[in-house]
C-alpha cells in the first residue's frame, strides 16, 4: 500500500463521539464510555474507507495558548471554565467527557496509535506542521473549517470534513475550498479574520461578511495587500470598506497570527512518533480484548482491531 498519512483533530472527533452516542453507555463503575467507543469506531471506519498507512492523533497540549490570548484576549474566551495563572486555562468540557479523556489516551496507546501534542500549541498546529512537511499524501480529519488552510492539491493534502456527521463526510480539496468560499486555502486565514468566527471568539470586521471578504481578497490577494490598498486614495477600496477596516485596525493587526496555523513545530518524525499502523499483537491485544468486556466497549474494540489487522 502506498504511504498515506492521516491526521486526526482528536478533540473535534471525541467531542462529536460524546454528543453522538448516549452517555448511558457506561462501564460497570458508572463511568461513561460513549466517547471512547465512538472514537474507536470513527478511526476504524476512517482508516478503512480512506486507506492510511500512518496515523497521528493530534492532541491539544494547550487548547488556548497564552500567546494567542495575548494577541487577542477574546480568543476562545467563551469556552473558559476556569482561568489558571501560569498554566493552560480549564476548558468547558462536560463532566462525562472529561472522565473519558484518560481512557481515550490509554486505549489509543494500546492500539499503537501515535498521540502527538506540543507544549503551548493546539492540535491544529500539530496538524499544520505535519501536513506542511509530509512527503506523502495527507488526509486531515476534522470538523474545524480553520484547517482548510492546509488543503493543497499539488501536494495531495485534503480534509475529510466531519461537520455533517460520519454518514455525510465531505472531502475538501483545494478546488473545493475555492468553489465553496471563493478563496484559495492560503487565503483562508485572512478570510476567516475578516469575516470573523464566533466559535473561536473572533469578532471579525463589522459590516464585512463572507461574500465581501472573499471579493476583497480576490481583488487584493492578501489582508496585507488589502490594508495597503486601503491607505491609498487610488487603491480601489471603497470609502465604507476603508472606514470599517480603520475601525478594526487593532483587531486586524493581531488576529492573523492567531488564526494562521503554525507549520514549523519541532515534532517527532512519523517514525519517531510510531505513526505506522500495524496489527495489535501480544499483551496489548489481550489487554484491549479484555477492556472490551471490562469497560463495556462492545464491538468497538473488535472493529479497530480488524481495521488494524488489514495492515499485515
Amino acid at each position: 500500500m502506498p504511504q498515506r498519512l492521516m491526521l486526526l483533530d482528536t478533540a473535534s472527533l471525541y467531542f462529536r463521539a460524546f454528543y453522538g452516542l448516549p452517555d448511558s453507555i457506561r462501564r460497570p463503575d458508572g463511568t461513561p464510555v460513549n466517547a471512547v467507543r465512538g472514537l474507536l469506531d470513527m478511526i476504524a471506519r476512517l482508516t478503512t474507507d480512506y486507506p492510511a498507512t500512518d496515523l497521528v492523533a493530534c492532541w491539544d497540549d494547550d487548547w488556548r495558548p497564552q500567546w494567542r490570548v495575548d494577541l487577542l484576549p477574546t480568543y476562545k474566551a467563551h469556552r473558559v471554565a476556569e482561568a489558571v495563572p501560569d498554566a493552560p486555562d480549564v476548558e468547558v468540557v462536560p463532566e462525562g467527557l472529561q472522565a473519558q479523556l484518560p481512557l481515550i489516551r490509554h486505549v489509543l496507546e494500546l492500539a499503537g496509535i501515535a498521540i502527538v501534542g506540543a507544549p503551548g500549541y493546539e492540535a491544529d498546529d500539530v496538524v499544520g506542521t505535519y501536513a506542511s512537511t509530509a512527503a506523502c499524501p495527507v488526509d486531515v480529519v476534522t470538523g474545524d473549517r480553520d484547517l482548510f488552510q492546509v488543503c493543497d492539491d499539488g501536494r495531495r493534502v485534503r480534509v475529510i470534513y466531519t461537520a455533517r456527521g460520519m454518514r455525510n463526510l465531505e472531502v475538501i480539496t483545494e478546488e473545493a475550498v475555492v468553489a465553496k468560499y471563493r478563496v484559495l486555502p492560503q487565503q483562508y486565514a485572512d478570510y476567516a479574520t475578516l469575516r470573523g468566527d464566533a466559535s473561536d471568539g473572533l469578532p471579525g470586521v463589522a459590516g464585512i461578511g463572507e461574500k465581501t471578504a472573499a471579493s476583497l481578497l480576490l481583488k487584493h490577494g492578501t489582508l496585507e495587500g488589502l490594508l495597503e490598498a486601503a491607505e491609498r486614495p487610488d487603491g480601489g477600496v471603497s470609502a465604507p470598506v476603508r472606514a470599517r477596516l480603520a475601525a478594526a485596525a487593532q483587531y486586524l493587526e493581531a488576529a492573523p497570527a492567531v488564526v494562521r496555523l503554525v507549520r514549523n513545530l519541532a515534532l517527532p518524525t512519523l517514525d519517531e512518533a510510531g505513526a505506522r499502523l500495524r496489527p495489535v499483537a501480544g499483551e496489548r491485544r489481550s489487554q484491549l480484548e479484555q477492556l472490551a468486556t471490562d469497560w463495556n466497549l462492545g464491538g468497538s474494540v473488535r472493529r479497530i482491531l480488524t481495521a488494524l489487522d488489514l495492515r499485515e
Side-chain angles (χ1 to χ4, degrees):
M1 183 184 297
Q3 185 178 20
R4 186 172 202 97
L5 171 63
M6 180 172 284
L7 301 171
L8 305 181
D9 178 7
T10 315
S12 171
L13 297 184
Y14 62 60
F15 267 95
R16 178 167 294 278
F18 178 77
Y19 287 112
L21 292 174
D23 65 2
S24 57
I25 303 172
R26 294 174 178 262
R27 296 192 318 190
D29 67 0
T31 304
V33 291
N34 55 332
V36 183
R37 284 176 58 163
L39 181 61
L40 289 179
D41 284 341
M42 288 177 183
I43 294 172
R45 177 183 167 184
L46 287 161
T47 55
T48 301
D49 290 355
Y50 304 93
T53 58
D54 299 73
L55 177 69
V56 177
C58 302
W59 204 265
D60 279 325
D61 274 13
D62 191 339
W63 69 279
R64 187 175 184 249
Q66 188 59 48
W67 63 269
R68 282 191 164 110
V69 177
D70 289 343
L71 288 167
L72 190 67
T74 60
Y75 183 63
K76 296 185 178 180
H78 60 295
R79 290 158 55 182
V80 176
E82 178 186 354
V84 181
D86 302 320
D89 292 334
V90 177
E91 184 179 11
V92 176
V93 178
E95 184 178 347
L97 176 55
Q98 188 67 48
Q100 296 182 67
L101 298 185
L103 312 184
I104 288 170
R105 288 193 69 110
H106 182 56
V107 170
L108 293 181
E109 288 166 356
L110 286 177
I113 293 172
I115 302 172
V116 178
Y121 293 91
E122 301 173 55
D124 285 8
D125 301 312
V126 177
V127 170
T129 296
Y130 278 129
S132 300
T133 57
C136 63
V138 180
D139 286 334
V140 174
V141 185
T142 185
D144 184 353
R145 291 186 297 176
D146 285 344
L147 285 169
F148 292 172
Q149 295 175 55
V150 302
C151 292
D152 186 330
D153 291 354
R155 296 187 57 253
R156 294 178 293 173
V157 179
R158 62 187 187 177
V159 168
I160 309 301
Y161 191 45
T162 64
R164 296 173 57 211
M166 290 298 293
R167 294 185 179 181
N168 297 286
L169 296 173
E170 296 180 75
V171 177
I172 305 297
T173 61
E174 180 177 341
E175 182 179 1
V177 173
V178 173
K180 191 176 180 96
Y181 299 103
R182 296 190 302 143
V183 295
L184 295 165
Q186 55 265 38
Q187 295 174 304
Y188 194 86
D190 288 346
Y191 169 76
T193 296
L194 286 166
R195 66 127 207 262
D197 187 341
S199 67
D200 279 340
L202 301 174
V205 177
I208 294 182
E210 294 191 352
K211 290 183 178 179
T212 303
S215 64
L216 290 171
L217 291 171
L218 177 64
K219 183 174 183 178
H220 300 284
T222 64
L223 177 58
E224 182 180 4
L226 168 62
L227 295 176
E228 289 176 355
E231 292 178 355
R232 303 193 312 270
D234 61 348
V237 180
S238 70
V241 170
R242 287 203 308 271
R244 289 167 186 147
L245 295 174
Q250 186 174 358
Y251 161 76
L252 290 173
E253 183 177 355
V258 175
V259 180
R260 290 188 192 116
L261 302 175
V262 177
R263 298 173 183 253
N264 60 352
L265 294 179
L267 299 177
T269 66
L270 297 180
D271 285 344
E272 290 168 346
R276 181 57 57 94
L277 291 173
R278 294 181 172 87
V280 182
E283 180 61 25
R284 289 193 295 114
R285 191 180 188 99
S286 297
Q287 288 185 49
L288 273 175
E289 291 172 338
Q290 188 62 46
L291 287 182
T293 300
D294 294 348
W295 286 11
N296 187 28
L297 297 181
S300 300
V301 164
R302 182 181 68 253
R303 284 186 282 274
I304 191 70
L305 289 174
T306 298
L308 293 173
D309 285 344
L310 296 175
R311 271 66 193 174
E312 284 187 297

